[in-house]
Every structure is written in structure tokens, then in C-alpha cells.
Amino acid sequence: MKITSKQLDPHTHKGFIKLMAEHNEDLWHIFNVLEAGDHLTGTAFRRVTKDRFDAAGRTDSQRVKMHITIEVDVISYDPGDETIRVSGRSMVETAHLKPGQYHTLVIEPHRAVTIEKHEPGYGSPAGGAAKPWPRLFVQRLTDACDIATSAEVAVAVMAEGLAHLILVSDQMSLVKAKIERAIPVKSKAAFSASQRESAMHRFYNGLAQAVAQHVDFWCRQVPRRRLRRDAEQVLLRLRLVWPVEAREGR
């Protein structure tokens, strides 16, 4: 999480916070501080129809980029899709959006938004009255910007031929990868045993690929290279192969 701008009155605690999510967990924090009535400003896209026809006789339209402010009405969060969809009435007029028209802002990693606390406007063109930011909300966003307070644990839940890689934090857990391979049953035949060993090798390699892709080995006190080397040794003890591209990528 990055807070790029913050203007809160020291006495009334009214004002706005401009922030940008960097990871999926940051979206969870934003979702929990958004409330109906808040004014949300960000970049949105809208398909605009032009008063002309293309070569096939169809109405010409294009997708335009807009900077809009809406009064928050409906909030939906999908951790798997890594987006927050916020719908509400437009509070300002733009070239393609009139005040009072409904639109949806999509919040996703690396897209900045500005939040200003307001009471619900119940249809008022100016929206509801400004209200103070709860200290708990401000502290939550501040803590989310501190890497030390958002440490994660990676957990691999495994069965024969099936594994789930889960990232666990102090706020939520998220399944990042599912590895599933068909493993032949045990048999005394040499050919069957070879097939089983080959299938298990592919299964473990798939798990290693998932770990390399989704687990960021970072620690403030320990160099990244050393952590990745230690992780590689653990995988080798489990007869896993650390992907070459992951070894060279960081």
C-alpha cells in the first residue's frame, strides 16, 4: 500500500486520503474502510457512442478514459479477481458523464484512488455532509503501508497428486495456486513404478513452479539472495527442482 497524499484536518479529522494498492491484501484494507456515502475519485472507462456509422452501417463507439468522482453506493470485492467494484452516482460533470448518472469505479493494484468521508447524500446533488475519518481506519491504512506489519506465511497443503499453495496474513488467507496431477497407483511392476515416479516428479515440479511464482522471499534483516538460496535447499531436500528462470529472475 502507498499513501501518495493525505490532507486531514488535525481537529476535525475531515479530509481526503489518496492511496494506491500494491498487492491483493491492500484491496482488503481498502474494502474495509469504504462506506456508503464516501466520495471516491479515480480513473474509469466508459464506452461512448458516436453519432456516426462505420463501414458496416453499425453505430461507431469507443472506450474513453475519464477522471470521475462518485458517491459510494454499492461495494463488491472479489479476492480471486483482485478487484473492488464500487458503484455510485457521479458527483461532477465530465465530457461523457453527467452529475447523478451511475457509474462503476474499479479499484485494482497500481491504480490510485482518493477517498473522502461523507454521510450518505440520499440523492442530493452535492452529496452528504463531510464527516471525520475514524482513527481506526486511518491507522489501518497506515499499518498497511508498513511492510513489517504485513508479513505473510506461505502454506502448502498436500495430498498425493493434489496441493494447494495458500498465502496467510494477519487479515486473510488466499489460495494462490492449485496443483493437480494424476498419479498411478503403486505396483510391483518396474514399468508401473517408473511411471509413478515420473508422475510424482512432475507433481513436485509443479509445486516448485507455484512457489517460485507466488512466494516473494523478502526479509528486512536477511538478503533476498540468501533467502532464495535457503528455499532452494529446502526444495532440493524434497526432491523438487527450483525453476531456472526463477533462479535467474531475482
Side-chain angles (χ1 to χ4, degrees):
M1 179 88 75
K2 283 185 179 179
I3 294 179
T4 58
S5 180
K6 181 171 70 172
Q7 291 187 15
L8 299 180
D9 186 280
H11 302 293
T12 64
H13 303 289
K14 296 178 181 179
F16 69 85
I17 297 178
K18 184 177 182 180
L19 46 83
M20 181 173 65
E22 296 182 294
H23 307 287
N24 192 23
E25 184 178 335
D26 295 337
L27 297 177
W28 174 250
H29 293 295
I30 296 174
F31 173 73
N32 279 279
V33 302
L34 279 174
E35 300 174 296
D38 291 349
H39 289 189
L40 180 67
T41 303
T43 301
F45 296 88
R46 191 177 183 91
R47 185 160 294 281
V48 177
T49 302
K50 297 182 177 180
D51 295 330
R52 64 184 183 186
F53 299 92
D54 58 17
R58 295 170 299 189
T59 303
D60 192 13
S61 64
Q62 65 177 2
R63 192 165 179 256
V64 297
K65 184 178 180 180
M66 306 179 298
H67 191 71
I68 66 172
T69 299
I70 64 173
E71 181 186 29
V72 175
D73 184 18
V74 180
I75 313 166
S76 61
Y77 172 46
D78 184 354
D81 192 34
E82 298 189 357
T83 58
I84 301 174
R85 299 181 64 85
V86 186
S87 300
R89 296 184 305 109
S90 173
M91 303 303 297
V92 295
E93 185 172 3
T94 69
H96 306 288
L97 193 65
K98 296 180 180 180
Q101 282 187 290
Y102 263 75
H103 196 76
T104 299
L105 268 175
V106 178
I107 306 175
E108 58 188 3
H110 309 294
R111 181 179 292 185
V113 294
T114 302
I115 304 173
E116 187 173 358
K117 287 293 175 183
H118 281 259
E119 299 288 350
Y122 301 110
S124 170
K131 69 177 184 179
W133 273 82
R135 292 186 179 182
L136 182 63
F137 286 4
V138 177
Q139 188 62 49
R140 179 171 192 152
L141 295 177
T142 302
D143 290 344
C145 295
D146 186 0
I147 298 176
T149 63
S150 58
E152 294 179 338
V153 175
V155 179
V157 182
M158 299 174 60
E160 188 173 281
L162 178 64
H164 289 85
L165 181 63
I166 306 170
L167 295 185
V168 182
S169 70
D170 58 343
Q171 299 292 335
M172 62 185 299
S173 60
L174 183 65
V175 178
K176 297 297 293 184
K178 177 182 178 181
I179 302 91
E180 192 170 10
R181 299 287 187 274
I183 308 296
V185 296
K186 291 183 179 180
S187 174
K188 295 181 179 179
F191 178 73
S192 178
S194 176
Q195 281 187 322
R196 177 179 172 81
E197 183 176 355
S198 178
M200 291 295 292
H201 186 72
R202 289 193 299 270
F203 169 66
Y204 286 131
N205 278 347
L207 177 58
Q209 291 277 356
V211 172
Q213 179 181 354
H214 297 291
V215 180
D216 187 13
F217 294 94
W218 190 93
C219 181
R220 181 172 293 175
Q221 289 78 23
V222 183
R224 184 189 297 270
R225 183 177 301 176
R226 175 182 163 189
L227 284 170
R228 296 191 68 83
R229 182 192 64 201
D230 293 345
E232 183 175 353
Q233 292 300 318
V234 172
L235 292 174
L236 287 174
R237 291 192 189 100
L238 295 174
R239 300 177 66 189
L240 307 183
V241 179
W242 189 261
V244 175
E245 59 273 18
R247 208 179 291 138
E248 297 174 350
R250 297 184 181 180

